[in-house]
């Protein structure tokens, strides 16, 4: 499952492309998905280059927490994106090549609500039914009957979807996307972006910019493994570098200028731990055990077909980068919630598995997608957090649509644009997983 | 005639002085207007001196080459801004102009061959030196070897003619007559590859896509016309055998132009589309010359001038968009009317000239060519219908795809365009659409 190199590095004389129609910075889930969709729709008409600094995907490799697919969102865009992801994953052998083994187990996602949010859950379920999501509300008795190992003392309502929610193998998805990209003709370059070259354009008229002062991004400067810097001229750049997006945006003067460049891209890195819970006779994990979302923000999922659980907490907006890794956090917040909810688990069954990295949009937690208002040739696609992997097919298709068609044709993600930061209207996804 | 040669030759030191980029362009414009005032005798060769002479065909094509060279410098301002070897670029252009001037004005077949091949070297240097992508090396090789190998038999042919008649003056060619098949094929092949004709046209799209704007301009503007000029001169030698065998080239060109016009509609790269359209137009020119009709001759000359200006203008337009958007792909260059509205006028004018809409020189050329083709055989009407129709189709396709419709970027911004670009395009369009008013200059030959 964890291979060291999914892209063979050809270290003989490499000729780096000097020009591309589309340059994608970051070749992770979203980057590879954009490359796949652009090439599927445009074929030879667009030359696509992906700049990825780590071909072993060592930092994404560990993301076992991303393999959860659920549809219980409050924003309609997220619901549509999830539904499309399910459709994509179901036909993954047609969409990508037939070797991809996505291991999609639609085991369901059980969301627990305490008294405080029970009404909200009901309203949400009603909205979801309009979108065609099949789910059912469970009372406390139902939950105790079906899943006796959950402590339902403080739970009033639960909701589980009966189809299209579950777990899948995100590594297989990433590998499938990257392989298909390579087959369709996307050029992968092992490089790290170190800057952008800007050129002053004399004849641009833009609202809010005095004439003659517009600086346009011309080329992206990247450094390869042998410490040499190269440049690529591009027409459209896609910034999908995950947690480094904020820093790369700063290289493009986003956040360091004035007027439209005043606001930085608020995507920062958060690290959190994944814990493994071994099975025991009391818990009895079987194939039908759903993923669980607790009232405290703790999520739990089965570790594919192994008989153990994985659990973790979704990082919050206002925690700092490593706060969730500290032992204090574990002892004070995670462990008590865990032991409270699942009373059959003993402390010795829990062990720390991995540390994972999340790109968190510190403004409102929802992803930023769309052209930047000043740099009209840069598309931002970052800050989706854990939903980045889940929604990657839909997001990639949306970006391909705005490049090729000029607007969103299937799922309208206009509200995800950067503009909401300019007018200060946060778009909050209530059900954050 | 020698005086202009010396004037161009002595502009070489001017290229190496500081801040002389625009001076060179200005001097070329001066040469252009001085040359226009040469009172040439349309019917015979005039202004004879040493090896040089001028008749109508040479005169028009030299004017075209000086004009295009001047516009090349105007179009390449980004080289000067980035200081990317602009002195050598100017030197390259001046040497290319000398070669072209000499090709068109020498009276001697061998010297014609010498400068015909000589003009390839600056062109190749232009493509390989100032092109954009790593693929330009392959493109340069294709250009060089296609044209070089095809014209080697022509050298043998010229030696044969010399051995037969002991002179190579072009004016005397009308008294000679050769009936050798081998000689015919070897002489004609060089020009067919240069034109290019359908089966041997592979080098052209490659060279155009990889060339910088100045390379594309000179290629489309003048280099293709070298082939046409050669055919115009050499067909006189082969009239009798031509009447027997020209149908081969006419048929290949007609059907080939049709296929290439269809191919244009599948292109995604704008430059590639215009390159294929050049092949289609030149196919018609080949047909015109091959019919050995008076109207065919006229039509091909007018078409060559018109197409030179039009194609070169279109490449300038594509470059204007490329400098702004950094892509030549149609997926990115669309809805440009929202983006650069003033350029739409020039897009329209040049595209309409490309599809031979009145009142452009292309229209005059096409009418004459259609006349000559139909008088040669009414069956060619079928293909001519298709070619004319599809040339309108792909010109309109390119125009409406790039200008109309949904645009890609620049939600809050648009470009006003730079005066230099407007001047460049106007200088392309003005002769194209105004020369029709004095078309008897080219239509009354002998």
């Amino acid at each position: 499952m964890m291979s060291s190199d999914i892209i063979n590095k050809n270290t003989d004389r490499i000729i780096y492309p000097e020009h591309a129609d589309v340059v994608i910075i970051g070749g992770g889930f979203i980057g590879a998905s954009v490359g796949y969709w652009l090439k599927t729709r445009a074929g030879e008409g667009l030359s696509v280059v992906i700049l990825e600094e780590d071909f072993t995907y060592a930092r994404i490799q560990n993301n076992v927490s991303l393999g959860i697919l659920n549809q219980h969102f409050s924003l309609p865009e997220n619901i549509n994106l999830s539904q499309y992801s399910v459709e994509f994953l179901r036909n993954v052998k047609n969409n990508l090549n037939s070797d991809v083994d996505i291991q999609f187990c639609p085991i369901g996602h059980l969301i627990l609500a305490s008294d405080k949010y029970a009404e909200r859950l009901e309203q949400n379920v009603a909205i979801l039914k309009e979108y065609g999501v099949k789910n059912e509300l469970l009372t406390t008795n139902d939950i105790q009957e079906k899943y006796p190992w959950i402590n339902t003392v403080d739970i009033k309502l639960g909701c589980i979807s009966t189809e299209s929610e579950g777990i899948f193998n995100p590594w297989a998805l990433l590998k499938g996307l990257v392989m298909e990209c390579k087959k369709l003709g996307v050029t992968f370059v092992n490089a790290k972006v170190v800057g952008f070259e800007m050129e002053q354009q004399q004849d641009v008229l833009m609202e809010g910019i005095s004439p003659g002062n517009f600086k346009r991004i011309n080329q992206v400067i990247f450094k390869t493994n042998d410490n040499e810097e190269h440049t690529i001229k591009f027409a459209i750049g896609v910034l999908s570098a995950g947690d480094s997006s904020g820093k790369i945006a700063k290289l493009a003067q986003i956040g360091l200028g004035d007027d439209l460049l005043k606001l930085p891209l608020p995507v920062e890195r958060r690290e959190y731990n994944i814990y493994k819970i071994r099975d025991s006779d009391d818990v009895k994990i079987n194939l039908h055990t759903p993923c669980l979302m607790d009232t405290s923000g703790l999520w739990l999922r089965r570790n594919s077909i192994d008989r153990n659980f994985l659990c973790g907490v979704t990082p919050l907006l206002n925690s700092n980068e490593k706060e969730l890794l500290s032992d204090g956090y574990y002892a004070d917040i995670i462990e008590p919630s865990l032991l409270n909810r699942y009373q059959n688990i003993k402390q010795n069954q829990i062990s720390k598995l991995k540390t994972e990295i999340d790109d968190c949009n510190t403004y409102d937690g929802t992803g930023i997608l769309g052209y930047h208002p000043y740099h009209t040739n840069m598309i931002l696609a970052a800050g989706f957090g854990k939903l980045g992997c889940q929604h990657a097919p839909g997001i990639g298709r949306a970006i391909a649509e705005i490049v090729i068609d000029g607007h969103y044709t299937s799922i309208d993600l206009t509200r995800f644009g950067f503009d909401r930061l300019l007018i200060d209207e946060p778009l909050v996804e209530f059900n954050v997983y | 005639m020698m005086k202009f040669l010396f004037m161009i030759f002595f502009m070489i030191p001017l290229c190496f002085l500081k801040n002389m980029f625009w001076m060179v362009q200005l001097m070329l414009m001066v040469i252009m207007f001085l040359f226009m005032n040469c009172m040439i005798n349309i019917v015979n060769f005039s202004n004879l001196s040493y090896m040089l002479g001028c008749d109508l065909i040479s005169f028009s094509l030299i004017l075209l080459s000086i004009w295009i060279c001047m516009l090349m410098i105007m179009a390449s301002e980004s080289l000067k801004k980035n200081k990317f070897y602009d002195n050598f670029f100017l030197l390259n252009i001046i040497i290319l102009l000398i070669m072209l001037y000499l090709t068109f004005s020498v009276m001697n077949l061998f010297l014609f061959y010498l400068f015909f091949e000589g003009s390839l070297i600056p062109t190749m240097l232009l493509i390989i030196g100032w092109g954009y992508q790593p693929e330009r090396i392959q493109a340069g090789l294709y250009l060089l070897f296609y044209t070089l190998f095809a014209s080697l038999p022509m050298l043998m042919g010229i030696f044969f003619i010399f051995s037969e008649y002991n002179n190579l003056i072009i004016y005397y060619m009308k008294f000679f007559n050769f009936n050798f098949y081998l000689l015919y094929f070897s002489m004609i092949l060089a020009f067919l590859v240069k034109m290019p004709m359908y089966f041997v046209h592979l080098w052209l799209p490659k060279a155009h896509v990889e060339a910088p704007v100045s390379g594309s301009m000179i290629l489309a503007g003048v280099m293709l016309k070298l082939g046409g000029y050669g055919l115009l001169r050499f067909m006189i030698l082969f009239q009798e055998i031509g009447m027997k065998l020209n149908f081969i080239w006419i048929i290949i060109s007609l059907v080939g132009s049709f296929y290439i016009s269809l191919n244009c509609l599948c292109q995604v790269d704008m430059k590639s589309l215009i390159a294929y359209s050049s092949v289609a137009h030149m196919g018609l020119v080949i047909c015109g010359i091959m019919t050995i009709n008076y109207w065919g001759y006229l039509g091909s000359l007018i078409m060559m001038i018109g197409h030179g200006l039009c194609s070169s203008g279109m490449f300038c337009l594509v470059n204007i968009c490329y400098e702004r958007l950094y892509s030549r792909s149609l997926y990115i260059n669309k809805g440009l009317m929202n983006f650069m509205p003033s350029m739409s006028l020039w897009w329209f004018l040049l595209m309409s000239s490309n599809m031979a809409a009145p009142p452009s020189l292309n229209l005059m050329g096409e009418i004459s060519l259609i006349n000559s083709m139909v008088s040669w055989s009414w069956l060619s009407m079928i293909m001519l219908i298709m070619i004319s129709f599809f040339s309108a189709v792909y010109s309109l396709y390119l125009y409406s795809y790039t200008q109309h419709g949904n645009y890609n970027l620049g939600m809050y911004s648009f470009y006003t365009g730079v005066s230099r670009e407007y001047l460049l395009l106007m200088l392309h369009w003005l002769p194209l659409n105004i020369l029709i008013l004095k078309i008897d200059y080219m239509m009354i030959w002998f």
Side-chain angles (χ1 to χ4, degrees), chain B residues 406-434:
Chain B
N406 229 339
Y407 57 91
N408 218 344
L409 359 128
M411 304 248 288
Y412 305 115
S413 69
F414 80 103
Y415 282 96
T416 52
V418 183
S419 312
R420 171 189 59 93
E421 291 163 351
Y422 292 124
L423 178 64
L424 180 65
L425 292 167
M426 197 192 75
L427 289 176
H428 273 111
W429 166 80
L430 202 62
L432 190 58
N433 273 11
I434 304 289

Side-chain angles (χ1 to χ4, degrees), chain A residues 15 18-21 41-42 45-46 199 201 203-207 216 218 233-236 371 373 376 402-407 419, chain B residues 81 132-134 136 268 322-332 334 406-418 421:
Chain A
I15 300 183
E18 289 168 27
H19 174 272
D21 289 323
R41 287 201 58 185
L46 283 176
E199 189 190 10
Q201 306 261 296
D203 56 331
V204 172
L205 292 182
M206 192 178 201
E207 211 174 298
R216 180 192 190 276
N218 248 0
K233 253 193 227 171
F234 61 90
I236 294 185
Y371 285 106
T376 50
I402 51 177
V403 170
I404 295 177
D405 299 326
H407 56 277
D419 293 346
Chain B
K81 212 161 45 160
Y132 302 127
Q133 281 147 301
R136 65 190 189 264
V268 186
Y322 181 79
E323 279 183 355
R324 304 267 187 315
L325 297 170
Y326 284 110
S327 168
R328 289 187 308 263
S329 164
L330 275 177
Y331 282 109
I332 297 192
K334 49 186 211 279
N406 229 339
Y407 57 91
N408 218 344
L409 359 128
M411 304 248 288
Y412 305 115
S413 69
F414 80 103
Y415 282 96
T416 52
V418 183
E421 291 163 351

